[in-house]
Amino acid sequence: MPRLPVDGKKVIEHRITFGTKERTILEDLSTSLRIQAITGDVPITEILSSPTKVITLVEAIATALELVGIETPIPTPVDAYDFLISVNEKRKANPGGWWDVDLRRDFERFFG
C-alpha cells in the first residue's frame, strides 16, 4: 500500500531531531541491549571478571567467524580440522614415512 503524501490535513509528519550527544547515548543504549540479548540475564561484568569466561567468549566469537569464512589468528576447532585433513593427505601420499623423524639429522641440524 503506497504512503500518502504529507499534506497537513490527512497526514501530519512529526520529526524528532537528535544532536550528537543524544545520538551517542542512543548508540550506547543500542549496543548494551545487543550485548544483553547475546549474554542473556548474565551481566557482561560477570563475564569479564573471569579470565576463563573471557577466553571462552573470544573463542566462541572466533569460531563463529571462521565458520562463516572469516579467518582469525586465534586457533579454533575449524583450524584443527584443516590440520587433521593435511596430516591425512600427507599420510596417504607417503604411507611408510609420513611421520618424518630422523634423530641424527635433527640433532646435527640443531647442535652440529
Side-chain angles (χ1 to χ4, degrees), residues 99-110:
W99 189 263
D100 185 23
V101 176
D102 184 2
L103 294 178
R104 179 181 300 257
R105 187 184 67 199
D106 291 341
F107 183 80
E108 290 172 355
R109 184 170 48 144
F110 289 115

Side-chain angles (χ1 to χ4, degrees), residues 5-110:
V6 179
D7 59 1
K9 296 176 185 168
K10 281 187 169 181
V11 178
I12 300 171
E13 182 177 18
H14 299 281
R15 182 176 297 180
I16 299 173
T17 305
F18 292 115
T20 305
K21 182 70 175 173
E22 290 86 6
R23 277 192 228 113
T24 304
I25 292 171
L26 284 174
E27 287 174 0
D28 291 344
L29 177 66
S30 172
T31 303
S32 67
L33 290 174
R34 287 183 188 144
I35 291 172
Q36 185 180 9
I38 292 170
T39 60
D41 292 336
V42 180
I44 193 71
T45 54
E46 184 179 326
I47 292 173
L48 296 178
S49 66
S50 169
T52 307
K53 290 179 182 177
V54 171
I55 291 170
T56 303
L57 179 65
V58 169
E59 184 71 25
I61 292 170
T63 302
L65 288 174
E66 288 202 1
L67 284 174
V68 296
I70 301 170
E71 189 63 34
T72 63
I74 300 169
T76 62
V78 177
D79 296 328
Y81 177 76
D82 295 339
F83 172 74
L84 291 174
I85 293 296
S86 69
V87 167
N88 194 25
E89 289 173 357
K90 288 180 185 177
R91 184 183 59 81
K92 286 181 182 177
N94 190 3
W98 68 276
W99 189 263
D100 185 23
V101 176
D102 184 2
L103 294 178
R104 179 181 300 257
R105 187 184 67 199
D106 291 341
F107 183 80
E108 290 172 355
R109 184 170 48 144
F110 289 115

